[in-house]
Amino acid sequence: LLTGDFFVTPPRIVLDLEASLRGIPAVCAGETVDRFFESVKPDILSISSNEIKTALNAALRTANL
């Protein structure tokens, strides 16, 4: 579940990104985020796709995945 203090349009993008990450190996998360943002090109305020990857990688490290 991706949450945070950021704005993205269209709002559905967060749900679509979560769906693209579901079931993939943790080591593939970064490249999955890259591919997703290359194909979708959402409008994101106050955060970049790299920051999303950084947060996701930190969460995976915390979970020992």
Side-chain angles (χ1 to χ4, degrees):
L1 180 63
L2 300 172
T3 63
D5 190 14
F6 56 91
F7 299 96
V8 60
T9 57
R12 165 140 203 99
I13 292 296
V14 175
L15 298 173
D16 292 342
L17 176 57
E18 289 174 347
S20 74
L21 291 165
R22 196 169 292 120
I24 65 155
V27 297
C28 298
E31 74 180 47
T32 300
V33 170
D34 286 338
R35 276 196 316 268
F36 178 83
F37 282 106
E38 286 171 10
S39 67
V40 175
K41 307 264 193 249
D43 185 16
I44 303 174
L45 300 176
S46 73
I47 192 169
S48 70
S49 60
N50 282 335
E51 290 170 311
I52 291 173
K53 283 188 341 185
T54 299
L56 179 60
N57 287 329
L60 291 170
R61 279 192 307 276
T62 300
N64 293 319
L65 296 176

